[in-house]
Amino acid sequence: MNKNSKAAEVSMENLLRIFTVPEAPGSTLSRLEHDISANLAGFLQDHIVAEETDLVKIERDFSDTLIPEAPVYVSEQAQFLLDKVVAQSVHTSSPSFVGHMTSALPYFMIPLSKIMIALNQNLVKTETSKAFTPLERQVLGMLHRLVYDQPTEFYERWLHDSHRHLGAFCSGGTVANITALWAARNRAFGPDGAFPGITRAGVFAAMRHYGCEGMAVLVSERGHYSLSKAADVLGIGRDQIVAVETDGHNRIRPDALQAKIRQLQQQHIRPFALVGVAGTTETGNIDPLDKLADIAEEHGIHFHVDGAWGGPTLFSDRYRARLKGIERADSVTIDAHKQLYVPMGVGLVLFRDSSVLKSIEHHAQYIIRQGSKDLGSATLEGSRPGMAMLVHSALKIIGRRGYSMLIDNGIDMAARFAGRIETLEDFELVSAPELNILTYRWVPASVQAVLREVDDDLQRQINDLLSRITRTIQKTQREHGKAFVSRTRLTPDRYNRHAITVFRVVLANPLTTDAVLQQVIDEQREIVVSLADNADIIELNRLTGVALAPG
Ligand SMILES: *Cc1c(COP(=O)(O)O)cnc(C)c1O
């Protein structure tokens, strides 16, 4: 324990106080609370240390594993959090932090989250959630309607029916994807005659009964890694997430998909789900969903759309057509903590057919009984917070037209930024944005010219050097703490599918502007100048035989 800390007195009386008595108005915690509510951006600005501190150094403040014997005062702990945790956290809502998918939060989320925490409802069963249960079902209905647009009577009939589920809330896109594939697996290998179904008999018995030697899920090579986790958890094996080749725009190739399906059939491996991505995590591209729906239908396999990122594009009148075919999906994942602007920890999966989730239903005697309205019977998670309240609030306060504007703003800004990069001599646009994500890298025009001329081998060597330099620029920029872009590796056709490292920019923060993006580029240029002595740059100069103009 910290030597300077004053121990509070341990007594039942004091313990009762922390449950019942609010902190005094002038206390550290009250001040902190007030500052956060009054001016969140300012609070973060004032308290987060911009310059990046090495994680190993930060670890030293979190290395004591002894639980303090005597309690510390609330104010002391609040001060510790301010100094050691808040100070070293990440300013995720900063307009110049454009490399991640964690959204900026609207102000109203802070007081509303407090209501949620204060009520501390548990959505596993109605006994501990009451109005939160119909509220959650209503939100599922609203988003189901956004995707599937069924007639009003459909929602009147099924929204609150205890035997049906329009979808399931969960902690995020990963669990949403697991839930979708879980239901798909259970339906594909369901009860059949004397066979009780995979749910009861397990994977091995299911394969024996259905006469196959494996189960597979098809997705493009740009599919999210959560699908591999799902395959592992569901007992089908990570290797059975079959990666299908993409075209020059990072979209799945239908011909390659058909070939893979034939190949699996020959190996007696049964593909039970096809995943289309609506907004790939790395480049924001959208698979040809209509075509995928045709192929899934042709082979009788579950069609899931991973719209964790791009799903909310459906709010946009101008851009929703880019997701055409999503309404034919059996299930759709949407992350609320991404483009619905809700605090971290909430995603959901929707099912076109409200009876599909029955395939994962689980009942117990003391709760989630047959026929009850307890939501816990059809979710992977058990106890679960009332995050639906925050999604409900965002949907109402921002509204369909508000979301439409936010979506359009991000897509339009990405298009303008891409256009700007294309006019720059020393940068190269690697993936043009279809939604609000784009990738690019630093390559002087002279090196670009060389790359077009040289043979494959030399091209690879130069690209490898550029990849190392991209990484250095990205890390240096992050360490400076003023701006943040992320990086990923892509295999563009232009370089014969050789993997290169690129900067990745995600534009979903409405506070980001063209000017902020220009500053990101300017800083990257300054970093390049400061790297004049960098071994990779020297080698790049040597290899290309082109002197880079200093400054
Ligand atoms: C973010 C994302 C996920 C995973 O969601 P989490 O909320 O991080 O669990 C899955 N798929 C796609 C396409 C994503 O962008």
Side-chain angles (χ1 to χ4, degrees):
M1 207 208 313
N2 184 339
K3 287 183 217 70
N4 302 324
S5 62
K6 301 165 286 179
E9 193 193 336
V10 202
S11 71
M12 202 58 206
E13 194 191 333
N14 277 346
L15 286 176
L16 285 177
R17 276 178 67 86
I18 62 173
F19 280 88
T20 53
V21 183
E23 287 295 299
S27 69
T28 315
L29 185 57
S30 293
R31 269 190 290 120
L32 213 144
E33 214 184 343
H34 173 266
D35 290 354
I36 290 178
S37 313
N39 179 5
L40 177 66
F43 173 81
L44 295 172
Q45 216 91 59
D46 291 349
H47 293 284
I48 296 182
V49 178
E51 194 92 16
E52 191 174 83
T53 309
D54 191 30
L55 203 55
V56 177
K57 193 158 165 248
I58 296 174
E59 283 168 356
R60 285 186 217 135
D61 290 322
F62 303 92
S63 50
D64 190 351
T65 51
L66 276 179
I67 297 169
E69 201 59 43
V72 298
Y73 286 107
V74 175
S75 54
E76 191 191 335
Q77 173 67 359
Q79 194 62 48
F80 171 83
L81 294 178
L82 205 51
D83 296 344
K84 302 295 185 187
V85 182
V86 178
Q88 299 297 338
S89 61
V90 175
H91 195 342
T92 52
S93 58
S94 163
S96 56
F97 276 42
V98 289
H100 60 76
M101 292 183 151
T102 301
S103 52
L105 291 182
Y107 251 93
F108 63 78
M109 283 299 171
I110 299 164
L112 290 183
S113 309
K114 272 171 83 169
I115 296 176
M116 186 193 86
I117 302 282
L119 293 174
N120 199 31
Q121 303 291 290
N122 182 352
L123 274 285
V124 72
K125 55 187 195 284
T126 52
E127 284 165 43
T128 50
S129 61
K130 210 125 143 229
F132 274 70
T133 295
L135 172 140
E136 185 167 296
R137 282 181 176 273
Q138 181 192 10
V139 175
L140 288 167
M142 286 168 152
L143 291 167
H144 190 282
R145 196 164 188 160
L146 177 72
V147 174
Y148 295 112
D149 196 25
Q150 295 295 300
T152 305
E153 305 80 69
F154 172 92
Y155 297 102
E156 280 170 357
R157 175 68 191 85
W158 302 119
L159 189 63
H160 295 294
D161 188 300
S162 62
H163 296 284
R164 298 294 187 104
H165 309 274
L166 299 181
F169 259 85
C170 48
S171 64
T174 298
V175 178
N177 282 341
I178 292 175
T179 306
L181 294 183
W182 183 17
R185 187 201 69 165
N186 287 5
R187 287 225 303 165
F189 299 91
D192 176 36
F195 178 66
I198 191 168
T199 312
R200 282 175 54 199
V203 172
F204 181 70
M207 290 203 289
R208 210 168 38 186
H209 178 80
Y210 282 95
C212 60
E213 286 165 32
M215 307 173 173
V217 174
L218 294 145
V219 65
S220 91
E221 49 193 357
R222 297 270 160 263
H224 191 265
Y225 59 82
S226 56
L227 300 169
S228 297
K229 292 184 182 175
D232 187 354
V233 174
L234 294 173
I236 69 173
R238 291 185 184 193
D239 291 351
Q240 308 310 331
I241 294 290
V242 178
V244 182
E245 218 180 291
T246 47
D247 63 16
H249 297 287
N250 299 294
R251 302 177 196 134
I252 197 167
R253 278 180 38 198
D255 58 327
L257 172 63
Q258 291 281 24
K260 280 279 189 216
I261 294 175
R262 277 193 299 276
Q263 192 189 330
L264 289 168
Q265 284 163 345
Q266 275 157 17
Q267 297 169 319
H268 304 287
I269 294 174
R270 180 153 161 211
F272 67 90
L274 166 62
V275 181
V277 192
T280 62
T281 312
E282 292 160 288
T283 59
N285 289 110
I286 305 160
D287 283 333
L289 303 178
D290 235 345
K291 185 80 199 143
L292 294 189
D294 289 341
I295 295 172
E297 212 169 270
E298 177 192 334
H299 297 281
I301 52 189
H302 183 105
F303 178 36
H304 175 65
V305 170
D306 184 356
W309 178 255
T313 308
L314 291 169
F315 283 116
S316 164
D317 294 327
R318 275 163 54 204
Y319 299 114
R320 70 170 294 150
R322 296 191 180 176
L323 266 55
K324 195 174 172 307
I326 194 171
E327 71 286 353
R328 295 173 64 197
D330 292 296
S331 53
V332 174
T333 285
I334 296 179
D335 240 337
H337 58 215
K338 289 180 178 168
Q339 296 207 79
L340 293 184
Y341 300 91
V342 174
M344 196 44 58
V346 58
L348 50 99
V349 56
L350 304 160
F351 291 86
R352 190 183 42 183
D353 175 347
S354 62
S355 66
V356 172
L357 261 183
K358 284 197 99 52
S359 68
I360 64 162
E361 258 182 12
H362 190 93
H363 295 282
Q365 276 312 315
Y366 71 108
I367 56 163
I368 57 176
R369 294 180 199 93
Q370 288 280 358
S372 79
K373 296 208 170 180
D374 298 342
L375 293 167
S377 62
T379 56
L380 176 58
E381 284 143 301
S383 294
R384 210 161 42 72
M387 294 295 283
M389 188 194 103
L390 302 182
V391 185
H392 186 265
S393 304
L395 290 175
K396 288 180 74 171
I397 295 171
I398 297 173
R400 203 194 60 75
R401 280 171 44 202
Y403 276 113
S404 178
M405 267 185 206
L406 289 171
I407 291 286
D408 290 356
N409 184 58
I411 295 177
D412 295 344
M413 188 161 38
R416 286 196 304 275
F417 189 43
R420 174 96 187 98
I421 290 169
E422 284 189 310
T423 66
L424 303 177
E425 292 229 310
D426 48 351
F427 285 85
E428 176 186 44
L429 185 68
V430 178
S431 65
E434 193 171 356
L435 295 177
N436 47 11
I437 300 176
L438 60 94
T439 65
Y440 69 100
R441 64 175 184 168
W442 172 79
V443 201
S446 50
V447 179
Q448 289 182 40
V450 173
L451 278 171
R452 281 192 291 270
E453 302 291 317
V454 294
D455 63 24
D456 209 47
D457 193 47
L458 193 52
Q459 193 188 65
R460 276 170 185 239
Q461 286 182 51
I462 294 172
N463 272 326
D464 289 346
L465 275 171
L466 285 167
S467 288
R468 291 227 293 275
I469 296 165
T470 304
R471 189 160 164 261
T472 307
I473 299 170
Q474 190 266 349
K475 281 175 69 173
T476 310
Q477 189 165 37
R478 193 188 67 202
E479 282 160 14
H480 288 178
K482 276 187 286 188
F484 171 72
V485 300
S486 50
R487 60 170 201 268
T488 189
R489 280 173 76 73
L490 295 174
T491 53
D493 284 350
R494 182 180 335 163
Y495 299 119
N496 295 319
R497 306 222 123 211
H498 181 62
I500 61 168
T501 302
V502 295
F503 302 127
R504 166 177 170 269
V505 167
V506 182
L507 296 172
N509 185 339
L511 303 174
T512 303
T513 58
D514 295 343
V516 166
L517 295 174
Q518 183 58 47
Q519 284 162 16
V520 170
I521 291 278
D522 291 344
E523 190 187 17
Q524 289 177 335
R525 282 199 175 120
E526 283 163 25
I527 292 169
V528 170
V529 173
S530 75
L531 289 176
D533 298 333
N534 176 285
D536 293 325
I537 297 226
I538 292 167
E539 179 62 7
L540 181 71
N541 281 329
R542 195 193 65 75
L543 259 186
T544 58
V546 177
L548 300 173

